[in-house]
Amino acid sequence: MTDIARLQIASPKRNSKEEAGWHGFFPYYAGYPHSFADKLIESAELAPGAKILDPWNGSGTTTYSAADRGYCAEGWDVNPVMVIIARARLLPTSEADALGPLARDTVKGIRADPRRLLDKDPLLTWFEKPLAALIRGLEHRIRDQLVGAATFSIEGAKVERMSALAATFYVALFTITRELAGQFQSSNPTWLREPKPGETLVDCQRRKLLERFVEAIDIMATSLGTRSHAGPTTGPIMTSLSVMDTAQAKPAAETVDLILSSPPYCTRIDYSAATRIELAILYPRLRISMEALGRKMIGSTRVPKEFLTPRPEWGDTCLAFLEKLGKHPSKASGGYYLKTHLDYFDKMARSLAALVPVLKPSAAAILVVQDSYYKELHNDLPTIIGEMGVAAGLSLPRRDDFPSARSMSGINRYTRIYKRKSGALEAVLCFQR
Ligand SMILES: C[S@@+](CC[C@H](N)C(=O)[O-])C[C@H]1O[C@@H](n2cnc3c(N)ncnc32)[C@H](O)[C@@H]1O
């Protein structure tokens, strides 16, 4: 049993120092840095062989830290791209020296073959035809060389079966493709906008692209080879990463010793759009549409198809917020915005109800949650998720608050016209079953 009072809770704010080295290759929205997860897991003093779950695993900070400390690590994410990214992060240091030679072999003889392009290939959104065909060629080669039928077959994709080596090569391809499309990056660091009509698309010489790919792999190999370990690790570590929608999950009961996660925020970040370019690269394998994936996301910006109404188990704070939101005089508040917020809270409440039974009796669930604003209305997500967790059967013996200047809700420049406190609050909610 985790002694909640003794947990070491550092600030969950990300910092640039932590975003360098190996962890810097996974620059997706993370809820907290590696040092936060590592200190917390160490202080939980779990028994050897204990299992740690992150149900919204994203770039895999929790599964990396859990495996690094020798625990069984389980990570879920509804976005298959994030499952590949989290897998790459788990590549053992021992593999570092193989990466460079393998990358040089991978790029040999790759040509820009336009026949590789699909009808309405999504890569053509940002890239000229020859470059899009070259990126497809590189993706094909990675698949032929490193991915077997257990992962990609005509029946479909099971990205959970992809090796860490193949996943690392995909991450290198994601990295250089993002770099190439840099001119379309918006103020939100993971978001690539679509070019405006008539805007010049990206082109690049074949040799330059392939050299940059090898260089990216070489840099990853150096970072991996010099990565420090929390160690000492005894025996093989079990890691399981799956594509899972927490709002639909029916996981095995009482199997998990600790949940550590940061759930999707309610700040109109479209988590699927943040991986638009990665999804475009993987499109021939995954064949999932942005629309279908976007709908499943907690925090989706799409209006839900079903008619939703608030439920008592969402708690008083949530119900009071929704009431004010629905009556807000600004445009679409009682329509579009109310509907997308109802969708968020519905999925979050269903996810928490699905998650509680996976915890062993007395096990802890630590959730890092950020608040936000709708216009001037405070969306006190830490309190709302706290109340939802209690309604789902957990107790909430501890909550640590950290004010943050880096608010996700500040991304939209229009938000500034409303009177509100600047920055955001990140809360670490410590639940216990
Ligand atoms: C705040 S991020 C998690 C960050 C993570 N702790 C890390 O280190 O990167 C939230 C994640 O939840 C995922 N997500 C959104 N809706 C989901 C759902 N219905 N089921 C499972 N995962 C979902 C998103 O794809 C995103 O990766």
Side-chain angles (χ1 to χ4, degrees), residues 265-400:
Y265 301 140
C266 190
T267 45
R268 296 187 40 71
I269 302 174
D270 184 333
Y271 286 96
S272 56
T275 56
R276 196 187 287 267
I277 206 153
E278 290 79 359
L279 286 163
I281 292 170
L282 290 166
Y283 186 72
R285 318 281 153 238
L286 303 176
R287 296 275 178 167
I288 33 169
S289 71
M290 292 292 300
E291 154 86 16
L293 182 61
R295 282 202 175 279
K296 285 190 194 164
M297 291 279 164
I298 302 177
S300 170
T301 50
R302 291 169 172 84
V303 172
K305 284 187 175 149
E306 63 275 35
F307 177 75
L308 297 168
T309 48
R311 292 201 306 272
E313 64 268 28
W314 297 359
D316 292 345
T317 309
C318 180
L319 300 183
F321 170 70
L322 285 171
E323 170 126 14
K324 282 191 211 143
L325 168 59
K327 290 184 182 151
H328 197 278
S330 64
K331 192 166 169 241
S333 290
Y336 172 79
Y337 291 107
L338 180 62
K339 285 179 192 162
T340 50
H341 279 82
L342 284 166
D343 183 56
Y344 177 91
F345 293 124
D346 173 62
K347 286 174 179 160
M348 186 53 75
R350 283 196 282 133
S351 299
L352 291 173
L355 280 171
V356 170
V358 308
L359 288 167
K360 290 182 185 170
S362 306
I366 315 299
L367 300 184
V368 176
V369 184
Q370 196 182 81
D371 70 351
S372 59
Y373 282 83
Y374 174 77
K375 317 292 181 194
E376 78 287 6
L377 299 179
H378 186 206
N379 182 354
D380 186 358
L381 203 58
T383 304
I384 292 174
I385 291 190
E387 290 174 1
M388 280 183 179
V390 170
L394 300 172
S395 63
L396 182 58
R398 179 171 171 189
R399 170 180 159 165
D400 290 17

Side-chain angles (χ1 to χ4, degrees), residues 29-30 56-59 61 77-78 244-246 262 264 296-298:
Y29 274 128
W56 299 286
N57 195 38
S59 61
T61 312
D77 204 288
V78 73
M244 178 92 81
D245 175 357
T246 51
S262 59
K296 285 190 194 164
M297 291 279 164
I298 302 177

